Amino acid sequence: MKRNKLLVVSIDSLFYKDTEYIKDMPNFGKILKNGSYVKGMRAIYPTLTYPCHVAIMCSKYAAESGVYHNEKFEPGNSTPEWFWWYSDLKCKTILDYAKECGYTTAAFNWPVLCNSKNIDHLQGEIWARPEFGENQEEIYRSACSDSIMDGIYQRYQHELRSNTTPYFDEFTVLCATDVIRKYTPDITLVHFSLLDHARHASGLYGYAVTTAMAECDARFGRLLYAYQDAGALEDLNIIVLGDHGHLPVKQLFNPNVLFREAGLIDVSENGKITDYRAYCHSSALSCMVVLKDPDDKNTREKVEALLNGWVIDHSIGVEACYNKQQALELYNLKGDFDYILEGCNDTAFGNE
C-alpha cells in the first residue's frame, strides 16, 4: 500500500512576523497560500534551540527530556560540548515510535539525535573543529548513519566549515536530497540554522536576515524538488516551523564578573578559571546559576544575597530569581543548576 510521506522542516529562529517577508517567496509562499498556520504559541523554557527541538520531537518539557540547555556545563570552557547525542535524551522521539510501527525514518542536522540507532538515515548535528586537531570524518562517523557515511559524506564534506553557515546548511540539504531521491523515507526531519546565525550577528531584521530567509526558501525548494523527482510530492505532508524567536537587547550582564569579585570564582594570572563555588551558565535571556557544593550553607547564603540584590537593583537588568523548585513548578525545568535568573526585556546574560 502506498504511504503518505511526512517532511518536517525547522527554520531556526523563524517566527510569525516573518510571514510578511516570506509570503511572496516561491516555496514558502506556496505553503502559506495553500496550507494552514499558527500565529503564535508558547514555547518551553528556556527557549533555546536544543531544548525546543527536543520538545518538538518528544512532546516533553526539559524536566522530562533531560535536555535543559544547548551546552553542557563546563565552567571556563568557551567551546563546551553540546547536547549532541541521542543518549542524552531521557524519552522517546517521534522517530522512535515511527520505527516501532514499521516506518522508515530520516533526520538531517536535527539536534540531539547523534548516533541514534532507530533512524535509518541520519546526518547528526555536530561540528568538528580542525583548529583543535579534531578529525572531522571520525566525528561524523560516530554521529551519522552508514547510509550517510558510505558515499554521501565523501561527496559533500568539502562544504563543511565546522558549524559555520551557510556551509553547514548546504551540507545538510545535499545529504537530505540525495537520501530523499534514493530512499524516500516515510518521515523526514530537517533543520536549517542560517536564519538564527544571521539574527545573532545582525539583529532581528535587515539585509543579512532577509537574505538568509531567501536562502532557506531556496533550500526548502530543493527538498521539494527531490520529492518530485522521487514521485512522492503529491503524497507529501509538509510542516514548516520555527523553534524560537528573538528579542532585541540593549545590554549584556556577566554575573561571573561579580562572582569573581565576591571571591566565588578563582582565576589564574592570565584570567583562566581555576576553581569556583558559584558560576553563571548563560542561556541568553536567562541564566542558570550553579553551586559547586549545594550543601555549602555559607556559599549559598552569600550567593542568595547577591542574586536578591541584583533583582532589587533595576539597572542591572535582572527581573526575577527562581530556585530549583520554583523553576520546576513554573517552567517544568530541571537540570544541574541551583537558581535561574530571568532578564528584563532588554538584558541578556554572558558567561565571561
Side-chain angles (χ1 to χ4, degrees), residues 180-182 184 225-233:
I180 291 166
R181 287 189 173 97
K182 185 174 182 180
T184 323
Y225 280 122
Y227 280 100
Q228 180 173 291
D229 291 344
L233 186 59

Coordinates of all heavy atoms in Angstrom, one line a residue, residues 180-182 184 225-233:
I180 N 16.5 11.5 0.0 CA 15.1 11.6 -0.5 C 14.9 10.9 -1.9 O 14.0 10.1 -2.1 CB 14.6 13.0 -0.5 CG1 14.4 13.5 1.0 CG2 13.2 13.1 -1.2 CD1 14.3 15.0 1.1
R181 N 15.8 11.2 -2.8 CA 15.7 10.7 -4.1 C 16.0 9.2 -4.2 O 15.3 8.5 -4.9 CB 16.7 11.4 -5.0 CG 16.3 12.8 -5.4 CD 17.2 13.4 -6.5 NE 16.7 14.7 -6.9 CZ 17.2 15.9 -6.4 NH1 18.1 15.9 -5.5 NH2 16.7 17.0 -6.9
K182 N 16.9 8.7 -3.3 CA 17.3 7.3 -3.4 C 16.4 6.4 -2.5 O 16.0 5.3 -2.9 CB 18.7 7.1 -2.9 CG 19.2 5.7 -3.1 CD 20.7 5.6 -2.7 CE 21.2 4.2 -2.9 NZ 22.7 4.1 -2.6
T184 N 13.5 7.8 -0.2 CA 12.2 8.5 0.1 C 11.7 8.0 1.4 O 10.7 7.2 1.4 CB 11.2 8.2 -1.1 OG1 11.9 8.3 -2.3 CG2 10.1 9.3 -1.0
Y225 N 11.8 19.6 -4.7 CA 12.2 19.0 -6.0 C 12.7 17.6 -5.9 O 12.4 16.8 -6.7 CB 13.3 19.9 -6.6 CG 12.7 21.2 -7.3 CD1 13.2 22.4 -6.9 CD2 11.8 21.1 -8.3 CE1 12.6 23.6 -7.5 CE2 11.3 22.2 -8.9 CZ 11.7 23.5 -8.5 OH 11.2 24.6 -9.1
A226 N 13.3 17.3 -4.8 CA 13.8 15.9 -4.6 C 12.6 15.0 -4.4 O 12.6 13.9 -5.0 CB 14.7 15.8 -3.3
Y227 N 11.6 15.4 -3.7 CA 10.4 14.6 -3.6 C 9.7 14.4 -4.9 O 9.1 13.4 -5.3 CB 9.4 15.2 -2.5 CG 9.8 14.8 -1.1 CD1 10.4 15.8 -0.3 CD2 9.5 13.6 -0.6 CE1 10.8 15.5 1.0 CE2 9.8 13.3 0.8 CZ 10.5 14.2 1.5 OH 10.8 14.0 2.8
Q228 N 9.7 15.5 -5.7 CA 9.1 15.4 -7.0 C 9.8 14.4 -7.9 O 9.2 13.6 -8.6 CB 9.1 16.8 -7.7 CG 8.5 16.9 -9.1 CD 8.4 18.3 -9.5 OE1 7.7 19.1 -9.0 NE2 9.2 18.7 -10.5
D229 N 11.2 14.5 -7.8 CA 12.0 13.5 -8.6 C 11.7 12.1 -8.2 O 11.8 11.2 -9.0 CB 13.4 13.8 -8.5 CG 13.8 15.1 -9.1 OD1 13.0 15.6 -10.0 OD2 14.9 15.7 -8.8
A230 N 11.4 11.9 -6.9 CA 11.1 10.6 -6.4 C 9.7 10.1 -6.6 O 9.3 9.0 -6.2 CB 11.5 10.5 -4.9
G231 N 8.9 11.0 -7.2 CA 7.5 10.7 -7.4 C 6.6 10.7 -6.2 O 5.6 10.0 -6.1
A232 N 7.0 11.4 -5.2 CA 6.3 11.4 -3.9 C 5.8 12.8 -3.5 O 5.2 12.9 -2.4 CB 7.3 10.9 -2.8
L233 N 5.9 13.8 -4.3 CA 5.4 15.1 -3.9 C 3.9 15.2 -3.7 O 3.5 15.8 -2.7 CB 5.9 16.1 -4.9 CG 5.6 17.6 -4.6 CD1 6.4 18.0 -3.3 CD2 6.1 18.5 -5.7

